[in-house]
Amino acid sequence: MSQHSAPPTPEGGPAVGHAAASRDVVSHRGLADVVAASTAISDIDGRAGLLFYRGYDIHDLSGAVSFEECAHLLHRGDLPDREQLTNYRAELAEGRRLGATTEAVLTTGVATQPPMEALRTLVSALSADDPDTGSNAPDANARKAARLVAQMPTLVAVYHARRTGSTVPDVDPGLDIAGNFLLQITGRRPDPAAVAAFDECLVLHADHTMNASTFAARVCAATLSDMHSAVTAAMGALKGPLHGGANEQVMTMLADIDERVDDESARQRIVDEHVRAKLDTDQKIMGFGHRVYRTEDPRATHLRRMSRRLAQLTGEPKWYEMSAHLEQTVFQVKALRPNVDFYAASVYHYLGIPTDLFTPVFAISRMSGWTAHVIEQHADNRLIRPDSEYIGQPPRRVKPLSER
Ligand code: COA
């Protein structure tokens, strides 16, 4: 909200009716509690710790529907019946191919860039070969949304292969997005329990109301820019450590703590020391806290269970056990609870996903939510253009260079 509501007087003094005196300025730092959009896609009850996708409780969806069903729900408004799911799967399978332009970009230095920087460029490049690139019409947007959801895991797998000098295994038509991604990243046919766990992760991360990256996508789409531009903006926002980048930082923290353990009996003490040292010096612990939830993040409930289960299955309990102890200590010291990124870190690690691909994996899932929000924004658009509170110099005159 500008204080420059009236021009400066000829003498250069404060303007008559200066806004500071005449207007109430209500500033919501970080837009906290501001309702920035109306949406039918997802809803959060932060006090009760509930999350809904199009009216379905995440506790009901998690483990009960595949990521493909979930993406259909977000894009097309409802869970698919058998025939719709078959058709949607076929559309995804057809749409997963990368175009010639993206393939060409992959041969450049992009494969030597860190993952989220490379993928931000690659997602943008996808528009060059998209047959619907020039249109924001509902049918074109629906097709683009399906293609982007299908292409995102392919992009991550191909990028990973290029940077490691390996080849990407062919997709297995018998596997869905979750299974094929694990196959292409690890080079091994994944265990069904791992596929089920990863599929559940994709469902849990798919949408989350006006999170920073979705808001970025909607702001971009609301200028009537196209879907690829909007999701490129979202990729940039997701990359930050306060948003999607947190899951990677959690794993780095767990690995750092683990390196300091030379005697098993000291593990918990080292975890405690790490937490207290951070909190005593006002540093944040990644994977904790949330703008909206005042109680447990419902996604963390499922990810904690999955981490515990994968710890048993892999026979490597230390990552889950350290996470559980760290959670306890953070709660004791600062009453903060884990968010979606905390247990996602150990889950992805157990699934054999390299740590620096954790945020790209978040993007694979969230692509379904971003694209659903672009569809919704374009369907009932108004430019998103908030105001700002001016905190700078009062109105003043420009002096000639010789007098400054
Ligand atoms: N570790 C330590 N303290 C934390 C914290 C964390 N992870 N998250 C919040 N806090 C503290 C802040 O230091 C602040 O304390 P103060 O009031 O004593 O100064 C208070 O809680 C409010 O935090 P703030 O950063 O203002 O809240 P926010 O709503 O702006 O931010 C997050 C929400 C998610 C950005 C924040 O909790 C955070 O940075 N978490 C770590 C990053 C992360 O996990 N991001 C993924 C989110 S899904």
Side-chain angles (χ1 to χ4, degrees):
M1 195 173 289
S2 174
Q3 296 183 357
H4 284 164
S5 53
T9 58
E11 295 72 34
V16 177
H18 193 275
S22 62
R23 292 166 69 184
D24 285 339
V25 176
V26 181
S27 171
H28 295 260
R29 204 163 130 75
L31 296 187
D33 302 322
V34 171
V35 174
S38 300
T39 180
I41 299 170
S42 60
D43 189 25
I44 298 173
D45 180 339
R47 290 194 182 282
L50 295 173
L51 167 63
F52 299 87
Y53 295 168
R54 295 203 183 272
Y56 293 107
D57 190 329
I58 195 71
H59 292 309
D60 285 347
L61 292 167
S62 189
V65 302
S66 66
F67 178 56
E68 284 76 0
E69 288 168 270
C70 174
H72 186 286
L73 170 68
L74 298 178
H75 286 166
R76 311 216 166 158
D78 217 337
L79 288 169
D81 60 25
R82 267 180 208 287
E83 190 188 342
Q84 287 168 327
L85 183 59
T86 304
N87 294 338
Y88 188 62
R89 279 198 171 115
E91 189 178 341
L92 293 171
E94 174 67 22
R96 111 174 21 112
R97 262 180 296 109
L98 308 177
T101 307
T102 308
E103 293 286 359
V105 174
L106 273 159
T107 64
T108 67
V110 80
T112 62
Q113 284 189 291
M116 285 301 283
E117 285 173 38
L119 289 160
R120 185 191 57 210
T121 303
L122 291 163
V123 162
S124 177
L126 289 171
S127 73
D129 300 304
D130 194 292
D132 289 305
T133 201
S135 174
N136 291 341
D139 55 340
N141 269 351
R143 290 191 293 269
K144 283 195 278 193
R147 276 195 287 272
L148 278 162
V149 164
Q151 285 165 330
M152 195 62 208
T154 314
L155 265 191
V156 179
V158 176
Y159 158 80
H160 183 58
R162 294 285 153 85
R163 71 174 179 162
T164 52
S166 51
T167 48
V168 192
D170 288 338
V171 291
D172 178 340
L175 294 173
D176 275 341
I177 285 177
N180 274 315
F181 180 73
L182 291 180
L183 167 72
Q184 294 194 315
I185 285 292
T186 64
R188 293 185 305 274
R189 202 183 157 76
D191 180 85
V195 176
F198 188 54
D199 202 25
E200 198 172 341
C201 288
L202 293 178
V203 171
L204 289 169
H205 286 80
D207 197 50
H208 210 232
T209 71
M210 275 314 102
N211 62 92
S213 56
T214 302
F215 184 53
R218 284 192 82 128
V219 169
C220 184
T223 68
L224 292 184
S225 187
D226 63 292
M227 186 175 279
H228 287 84
S229 299
V231 299
T232 304
M235 287 291 287
L238 187 74
K239 174 174 173 281
L242 294 188
H243 188 12
N247 54 13
E248 181 181 332
Q249 307 256 342
V250 171
M251 195 62 222
T252 306
M253 167 176 71
L254 294 175
D256 284 350
I257 295 172
D258 184 54
E259 270 199 3
R260 306 213 305 265
V261 178
D262 45 16
D263 166 10
E264 255 332 292
S265 65
R267 188 175 289 278
Q268 293 204 348
R269 176 177 55 75
I270 295 171
V271 170
D272 286 347
E273 283 170 3
H274 176 88
V275 169
R276 286 174 203 280
K278 284 254 180 199
L279 295 180
D280 286 352
T281 51
D282 284 337
Q283 292 179 66
K284 283 189 168 169
I285 312 245
M286 293 295 129
F288 285 85
H290 203 275
R291 175 62 66 79
V292 184
Y293 292 116
R294 295 289 153 254
T295 181
E296 168 125 327
D297 178 335
R299 302 165 301 173
T301 313
H302 295 276
L303 288 158
R304 184 192 294 108
R305 166 182 51 75
M306 285 153 69
S307 176
R308 187 168 51 229
R309 173 94 180 108
L310 289 165
Q312 288 163 354
L313 289 176
T314 57
E316 205 187 2
K318 70 177 177 187
W319 304 112
Y320 167 72
E321 286 173 0
M322 263 198 287
S323 303
H325 190 69
L326 205 145
E327 179 188 353
Q328 241 180 31
T329 309
V330 173
F331 192 76
Q332 275 165 11
V333 180
K334 194 137 187 182
L336 285 167
R337 297 175 197 271
N339 58 48
V340 69
D341 289 307
F342 185 62
Y343 281 102
S346 49
V347 167
Y348 294 159
H349 181 76
Y350 283 129
L351 293 174
I353 298 169
T355 302
D356 68 352
L357 294 186
F358 286 7
T359 310
V361 161
F362 192 152
I364 289 173
S365 167
R366 189 56 59 86
M367 185 59 83
S368 60
W370 293 333
T371 45
H373 279 273
V374 174
I375 292 171
E376 185 174 69
Q377 185 67 41
H378 281 164
D380 183 17
N381 190 60
R382 188 167 188 221
L383 181 76
I384 299 173
R385 201 301 189 189
D387 211 336
S388 52
E389 173 197 10
Y390 180 68
I391 57 165
Q393 296 278 358
R396 49 188 178 152
R397 304 289 302 228
V398 177
K399 290 183 185 157
L401 188 57
S402 57
E403 292 174 29
R404 277 180 246 151

